[in-house]
Structures are given as structure tokens and as C-alpha cells.
Amino acid sequence: MDWQDYIVWAIGLAVAALLVRRLRCFVQGRRKSGCASCDSTHCPLKAARRGHKTGRR
């Protein structure tokens, strides 16, 4: 195997890992961003929806 083959395998593994991570987040219903309305990670509306008293953990 040449070095190009190793590079192709590394890129393929990175893409596969990214797809698995995105699929897991999609199935669990989580997103990386914050609140859907204000995009804040410490939104009181987001915290109220989850049942927390504050938006911080």
C-alpha cells in the first residue's frame, strides 16, 4: 500500500465517524446549538422546557 491509500482510508474513517456522531445526535434528539428561538445555550425557555430552574448546568 502506498501513502495515498493510507490517506484515503484516514479520510474515509473520519467521514464515517462524523456520520455516526451526527446519526447518534439525530436519534437522541440533541443538537449542538442552543435554543431554537434565540440560539442561546443558557436560555430560560430551554431550561423551563427541560424542567430546570436555571438554564445553566
Side-chain angles (χ1 to χ4, degrees):
M1 285 178 75
D2 268 346
W3 65 271
Q4 292 97 343
D5 294 329
Y6 291 116
I7 297 297
V8 169
W9 276 103
I11 291 171
L13 287 174
V15 168
L18 180 69
L19 288 175
V20 167
R21 180 175 170 243
R22 297 285 291 198
L23 181 63
R24 182 176 51 96
C25 288
F26 176 74
V27 169
Q28 290 178 348
R30 293 186 312 154
R31 282 200 251 172
K32 206 161 94 173
S33 65
C35 178
S37 62
C38 67
D39 201 32
S40 172
T41 56
H42 301 295
C43 176
L45 179 63
K46 184 178 177 182
R49 193 180 98 221
R50 288 186 178 170
H52 297 237
K53 292 187 179 202
T54 63
R56 299 173 192 242
R57 286 188 169 209

PDB file of all heavy atoms in Angstrom, residues 27-46:
ATOM      1  N   VAL A  27     -30.734  10.703  16.407  1.00  0.00           N
ATOM      2  CA  VAL A  27     -31.593   9.705  17.061  1.00  0.00           C
ATOM      3  C   VAL A  27     -31.925  10.137  18.483  1.00  0.00           C
ATOM      4  O   VAL A  27     -33.057   9.972  18.937  1.00  0.00           O
ATOM      5  CB  VAL A  27     -30.914   8.316  17.037  1.00  0.00           C
ATOM      6  CG1 VAL A  27     -31.640   7.327  17.920  1.00  0.00           C
ATOM      7  CG2 VAL A  27     -30.839   7.795  15.605  1.00  0.00           C
ATOM      8  N   GLN A  28     -30.976  10.715  19.184  1.00  0.00           N
ATOM      9  CA  GLN A  28     -31.202  11.142  20.559  1.00  0.00           C
ATOM     10  C   GLN A  28     -31.971  12.449  20.631  1.00  0.00           C
ATOM     11  O   GLN A  28     -32.438  12.836  21.693  1.00  0.00           O
ATOM     12  CB  GLN A  28     -29.880  11.297  21.301  1.00  0.00           C
ATOM     13  CG  GLN A  28     -29.201   9.989  21.575  1.00  0.00           C
ATOM     14  CD  GLN A  28     -27.868  10.182  22.262  1.00  0.00           C
ATOM     15  OE1 GLN A  28     -27.353  11.292  22.344  1.00  0.00           O
ATOM     16  NE2 GLN A  28     -27.296   9.107  22.742  1.00  0.00           N
ATOM     17  N   GLY A  29     -32.101  13.159  19.529  1.00  0.00           N
ATOM     18  CA  GLY A  29     -32.844  14.409  19.508  1.00  0.00           C
ATOM     19  C   GLY A  29     -32.077  15.587  20.047  1.00  0.00           C
ATOM     20  O   GLY A  29     -32.654  16.607  20.405  1.00  0.00           O
ATOM     21  N   ARG A  30     -30.764  15.482  20.109  1.00  0.00           N
ATOM     22  CA  ARG A  30     -29.951  16.582  20.610  1.00  0.00           C
ATOM     23  C   ARG A  30     -29.360  17.357  19.455  1.00  0.00           C
ATOM     24  O   ARG A  30     -29.068  16.823  18.411  1.00  0.00           O
ATOM     25  CB  ARG A  30     -28.817  16.068  21.486  1.00  0.00           C
ATOM     26  CG  ARG A  30     -29.294  15.445  22.763  1.00  0.00           C
ATOM     27  CD  ARG A  30     -28.150  15.091  23.641  1.00  0.00           C
ATOM     28  NE  ARG A  30     -27.125  14.368  22.902  1.00  0.00           N
ATOM     29  CZ  ARG A  30     -25.862  14.354  23.235  1.00  0.00           C
ATOM     30  NH1 ARG A  30     -25.439  15.008  24.266  1.00  0.00           N
ATOM     31  NH2 ARG A  30     -24.990  13.675  22.527  1.00  0.00           N
ATOM     32  N   ARG A  31     -29.145  18.632  19.712  1.00  0.00           N
ATOM     33  CA  ARG A  31     -28.458  19.474  18.739  1.00  0.00           C
ATOM     34  C   ARG A  31     -27.285  20.143  19.417  1.00  0.00           C
ATOM     35  O   ARG A  31     -27.264  20.304  20.628  1.00  0.00           O
ATOM     36  CB  ARG A  31     -29.391  20.536  18.187  1.00  0.00           C
ATOM     37  CG  ARG A  31     -30.324  19.990  17.153  1.00  0.00           C
ATOM     38  CD  ARG A  31     -30.843  21.108  16.333  1.00  0.00           C
ATOM     39  NE  ARG A  31     -32.246  21.311  16.668  1.00  0.00           N
ATOM     40  CZ  ARG A  31     -32.952  22.316  16.227  1.00  0.00           C
ATOM     41  NH1 ARG A  31     -32.416  23.217  15.500  1.00  0.00           N
ATOM     42  NH2 ARG A  31     -34.204  22.426  16.558  1.00  0.00           N
ATOM     43  N   LYS A  32     -26.344  20.574  18.628  1.00  0.00           N
ATOM     44  CA  LYS A  32     -25.163  21.232  19.165  1.00  0.00           C
ATOM     45  C   LYS A  32     -25.460  22.666  19.583  1.00  0.00           C
ATOM     46  O   LYS A  32     -24.833  23.206  20.468  1.00  0.00           O
ATOM     47  CB  LYS A  32     -24.073  21.210  18.092  1.00  0.00           C
ATOM     48  CG  LYS A  32     -22.684  21.266  18.626  1.00  0.00           C
ATOM     49  CD  LYS A  32     -21.702  20.790  17.603  1.00  0.00           C
ATOM     50  CE  LYS A  32     -21.150  21.937  16.822  1.00  0.00           C
ATOM     51  NZ  LYS A  32     -20.085  21.583  15.926  1.00  0.00           N
ATOM     52  N   SER A  33     -26.424  23.276  18.932  1.00  0.00           N
ATOM     53  CA  SER A  33     -26.706  24.679  19.198  1.00  0.00           C
ATOM     54  C   SER A  33     -27.581  24.840  20.435  1.00  0.00           C
ATOM     55  O   SER A  33     -27.969  23.885  21.078  1.00  0.00           O
ATOM     56  CB  SER A  33     -27.391  25.300  17.987  1.00  0.00           C
ATOM     57  OG  SER A  33     -28.647  24.700  17.799  1.00  0.00           O
ATOM     58  N   GLY A  34     -27.920  26.060  20.711  1.00  0.00           N
ATOM     59  CA  GLY A  34     -28.718  26.367  21.887  1.00  0.00           C
ATOM     60  C   GLY A  34     -30.204  26.348  21.602  1.00  0.00           C
ATOM     61  O   GLY A  34     -30.730  25.494  20.902  1.00  0.00           O
ATOM     62  N   CYS A  35     -30.881  27.347  22.109  1.00  0.00           N
ATOM     63  CA  CYS A  35     -32.331  27.467  21.992  1.00  0.00           C
ATOM     64  C   CYS A  35     -32.732  27.672  20.529  1.00  0.00           C
ATOM     65  O   CYS A  35     -32.050  28.355  19.780  1.00  0.00           O
ATOM     66  CB  CYS A  35     -32.789  28.645  22.849  1.00  0.00           C
ATOM     67  SG  CYS A  35     -34.551  28.964  22.762  1.00  0.00           S
ATOM     68  N   ALA A  36     -33.861  27.110  20.139  1.00  0.00           N
ATOM     69  CA  ALA A  36     -34.311  27.235  18.760  1.00  0.00           C
ATOM     70  C   ALA A  36     -34.775  28.657  18.447  1.00  0.00           C
ATOM     71  O   ALA A  36     -34.686  29.098  17.304  1.00  0.00           O
ATOM     72  CB  ALA A  36     -35.441  26.249  18.489  1.00  0.00           C
ATOM     73  N   SER A  37     -35.244  29.388  19.454  1.00  0.00           N
ATOM     74  CA  SER A  37     -35.752  30.728  19.169  1.00  0.00           C
ATOM     75  C   SER A  37     -34.684  31.811  19.291  1.00  0.00           C
ATOM     76  O   SER A  37     -34.671  32.759  18.520  1.00  0.00           O
ATOM     77  CB  SER A  37     -36.924  31.062  20.088  1.00  0.00           C
ATOM     78  OG  SER A  37     -36.504  31.066  21.430  1.00  0.00           O
ATOM     79  N   CYS A  38     -33.768  31.691  20.253  1.00  0.00           N
ATOM     80  CA  CYS A  38     -32.775  32.757  20.437  1.00  0.00           C
ATOM     81  C   CYS A  38     -31.337  32.292  20.237  1.00  0.00           C
ATOM     82  O   CYS A  38     -30.421  33.091  20.296  1.00  0.00           O
ATOM     83  CB  CYS A  38     -32.929  33.389  21.816  1.00  0.00           C
ATOM     84  SG  CYS A  38     -32.516  32.277  23.181  1.00  0.00           S
ATOM     85  N   ASP A  39     -31.106  30.998  20.066  1.00  0.00           N
ATOM     86  CA  ASP A  39     -29.792  30.401  19.833  1.00  0.00           C
ATOM     87  C   ASP A  39     -28.832  30.593  21.005  1.00  0.00           C
ATOM     88  O   ASP A  39     -27.630  30.550  20.843  1.00  0.00           O
ATOM     89  CB  ASP A  39     -29.168  30.924  18.540  1.00  0.00           C
ATOM     90  CG  ASP A  39     -28.105  29.980  18.014  1.00  0.00           C
ATOM     91  OD1 ASP A  39     -28.253  28.759  18.228  1.00  0.00           O
ATOM     92  OD2 ASP A  39     -27.144  30.451  17.401  1.00  0.00           O
ATOM     93  N   SER A  40     -29.359  30.813  22.190  1.00  0.00           N
ATOM     94  CA  SER A  40     -28.530  30.932  23.383  1.00  0.00           C
ATOM     95  C   SER A  40     -28.434  29.571  24.059  1.00  0.00           C
ATOM     96  O   SER A  40     -29.413  28.832  24.134  1.00  0.00           O
ATOM     97  CB  SER A  40     -29.134  31.934  24.359  1.00  0.00           C
ATOM     98  OG  SER A  40     -28.439  31.919  25.587  1.00  0.00           O
ATOM     99  N   THR A  41     -27.251  29.234  24.563  1.00  0.00           N
ATOM    100  CA  THR A  41     -27.106  27.953  25.242  1.00  0.00           C
ATOM    101  C   THR A  41     -27.631  28.007  26.670  1.00  0.00           C
ATOM    102  O   THR A  41     -27.835  26.977  27.289  1.00  0.00           O
ATOM    103  CB  THR A  41     -25.630  27.516  25.270  1.00  0.00           C
ATOM    104  OG1 THR A  41     -24.853  28.540  25.877  1.00  0.00           O
ATOM    105  CG2 THR A  41     -25.130  27.240  23.868  1.00  0.00           C
ATOM    106  N   HIS A  42     -27.885  29.199  27.216  1.00  0.00           N
ATOM    107  CA  HIS A  42     -28.396  29.354  28.580  1.00  0.00           C
ATOM    108  C   HIS A  42     -29.750  30.058  28.561  1.00  0.00           C
ATOM    109  O   HIS A  42     -30.000  30.976  29.325  1.00  0.00           O
ATOM    110  CB  HIS A  42     -27.410  30.139  29.436  1.00  0.00           C
ATOM    111  CG  HIS A  42     -26.068  29.486  29.518  1.00  0.00           C
ATOM    112  ND1 HIS A  42     -25.868  28.271  30.125  1.00  0.00           N
ATOM    113  CD2 HIS A  42     -24.867  29.868  29.031  1.00  0.00           C
ATOM    114  CE1 HIS A  42     -24.597  27.946  30.023  1.00  0.00           C
ATOM    115  NE2 HIS A  42     -23.968  28.896  29.356  1.00  0.00           N
ATOM    116  N   CYS A  43     -30.625  29.642  27.692  1.00  0.00           N
ATOM    117  CA  CYS A  43     -31.930  30.277  27.530  1.00  0.00           C
ATOM    118  C   CYS A  43     -32.893  29.807  28.625  1.00  0.00           C
ATOM    119  O   CYS A  43     -32.995  28.611  28.890  1.00  0.00           O
ATOM    120  CB  CYS A  43     -32.497  29.939  26.163  1.00  0.00           C
ATOM    121  SG  CYS A  43     -34.154  30.567  25.887  1.00  0.00           S
ATOM    122  N   PRO A  44     -33.626  30.704  29.281  1.00  0.00           N
ATOM    123  CA  PRO A  44     -34.579  30.288  30.302  1.00  0.00           C
ATOM    124  C   PRO A  44     -35.732  29.460  29.725  1.00  0.00           C
ATOM    125  O   PRO A  44     -36.250  28.577  30.391  1.00  0.00           O
ATOM    126  CB  PRO A  44     -35.100  31.589  30.896  1.00  0.00           C
ATOM    127  CG  PRO A  44     -34.513  32.690  30.123  1.00  0.00           C
ATOM    128  CD  PRO A  44     -33.514  32.147  29.185  1.00  0.00           C
ATOM    129  N   LEU A  45     -36.115  29.716  28.494  1.00  0.00           N
ATOM    130  CA  LEU A  45     -37.175  28.929  27.866  1.00  0.00           C
ATOM    131  C   LEU A  45     -36.729  27.486  27.660  1.00  0.00           C
ATOM    132  O   LEU A  45     -37.470  26.544  27.912  1.00  0.00           O
ATOM    133  CB  LEU A  45     -37.565  29.549  26.522  1.00  0.00           C
ATOM    134  CG  LEU A  45     -38.652  28.835  25.733  1.00  0.00           C
ATOM    135  CD1 LEU A  45     -39.960  28.847  26.510  1.00  0.00           C
ATOM    136  CD2 LEU A  45     -38.832  29.491  24.385  1.00  0.00           C
ATOM    137  N   LYS A  46     -35.493  27.312  27.247  1.00  0.00           N
ATOM    138  CA  LYS A  46     -34.935  25.975  27.060  1.00  0.00           C
ATOM    139  C   LYS A  46     -34.857  25.244  28.399  1.00  0.00           C
ATOM    140  O   LYS A  46     -35.169  24.063  28.495  1.00  0.00           O
ATOM    141  CB  LYS A  46     -33.550  26.089  26.430  1.00  0.00           C
ATOM    142  CG  LYS A  46     -32.920  24.773  26.102  1.00  0.00           C
ATOM    143  CD  LYS A  46     -31.583  25.014  25.440  1.00  0.00           C
ATOM    144  CE  LYS A  46     -30.879  23.723  25.162  1.00  0.00           C
ATOM    145  NZ  LYS A  46     -29.575  23.927  24.567  1.00  0.00           N
TER     146      LYS A  46
END
